[in-house]
């Protein structure tokens, strides 16, 4: 068995001796504006960006669920991210977009659209330039934030997509809106 640290391959030996160096590789994020703040999501979660078009409202849904769109024959729910964060609903303008995000819950994959005021750019942010989420002072729930990326002397809020767009949490909130019985937190459900 070959030890990587003593291997003849200098690059592998350097990585084995200095794993932190590999950890500082830049990650790519799609940045966008929402209510005057800059947010980011990991580019690997983004499937596509589409122009804001016809969104069909669904009755009895929480206010942050704008409705659904038909995306090449698939029904995709659309979330108003501003409203999800407890703010006023987004005002649609000519720069408003829907970012299609793929969310994984176990082995299930779900596409969800998020309404954003404007898409900015794709940025590379080294892991060393990402601070942990603030314990207080943020305008959104702390579990919605993965970290605060430092870009050009400003902070970009990096969202935890699996928390913001938690399929289980959104379905529980939908049940509240329809008057269906909602299982208690931690209670097992049978199907």
């Amino acid at each position: 068995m070959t030890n990587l640290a003593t291997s003849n391959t200098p690059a592998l030996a350097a990585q084995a001796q200095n794993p932190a160096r590999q950890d500082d590789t830049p990650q790519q994020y799609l940045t966008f504006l929402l209510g005057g703040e800059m947010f980011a999501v990991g580019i690997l979660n983004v499937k596509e960006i589409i122009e804001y078009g016809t969104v069909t409202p669904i009755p009895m849904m929480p206010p942050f669920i704008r409705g659904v769109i038909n995306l090449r024959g698939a029904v995709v729910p659309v979330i108003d991210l501003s409203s999800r964060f407890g703010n006023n609903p987004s005002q649609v303008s000519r720069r408003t977009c829907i970012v299609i995000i793929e969310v994984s819950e176990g082995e299930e994959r779900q596409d969800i659209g998020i309404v954003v005021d404007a898409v900015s750019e794709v940025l590379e942010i080294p892991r060393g330039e990402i601070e942990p989420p603030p314990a207080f002072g943020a305008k959104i729930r702390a579990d919605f934030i993965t970290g605060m990326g430092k870009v050009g002397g400003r902070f970009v809020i990096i969202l935890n997509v699996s928390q913001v767009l938690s399929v289980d949490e959104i379905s529980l909130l939908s049940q509240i809106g329809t008057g269906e019985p909602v299982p208690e937190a931690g209670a097992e459900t049978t199907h």
Side-chain angles (χ1 to χ4, degrees), residues 63-149:
F64 66 85
I65 299 179
R66 279 268 170 115
V68 294
I69 58 172
N70 179 343
L71 187 64
R72 292 181 296 282
V75 176
V76 176
V78 177
I79 307 294
D80 186 325
L81 213 50
S82 178
S83 188
R84 175 82 168 125
F85 294 159
N87 301 320
N88 291 328
S90 295
Q91 297 299 313
V92 177
S93 71
R94 63 180 188 80
R95 296 191 66 204
T96 302
C97 297
I98 298 174
V99 179
I100 306 298
I101 306 277
E102 184 178 70
V103 180
S104 299
E105 293 277 331
E107 291 190 20
E108 277 188 51
R109 295 188 188 286
Q110 168 78 43
D111 289 347
I112 297 178
I114 59 171
V115 177
V116 301
D117 294 341
V119 170
S120 297
E121 61 185 322
V122 174
L123 292 175
E124 286 191 352
I125 305 174
R127 286 192 177 115
E129 293 294 309
I130 298 175
E131 298 291 326
F136 61 90
K139 295 179 184 174
I140 62 176
R141 286 177 21 190
D143 63 328
F144 284 179
I145 303 173
T146 295
M148 305 292 286

Side-chain angles (χ1 to χ4, degrees), residues 17-40:
Q17 290 173 351
N18 190 1
R21 182 174 168 226
Q22 182 183 16
D23 198 38
D24 202 35
T25 56
Q27 300 295 303
Q28 290 191 324
Y29 296 92
L30 174 71
T31 59
F32 56 87
L33 287 171
L34 189 66
E37 300 255 354
M38 184 71 73
F39 291 89

Side-chain angles (χ1 to χ4, degrees), residues 176-187:
I176 292 168
T178 61
E180 292 179 32
V182 178
E184 293 181 29

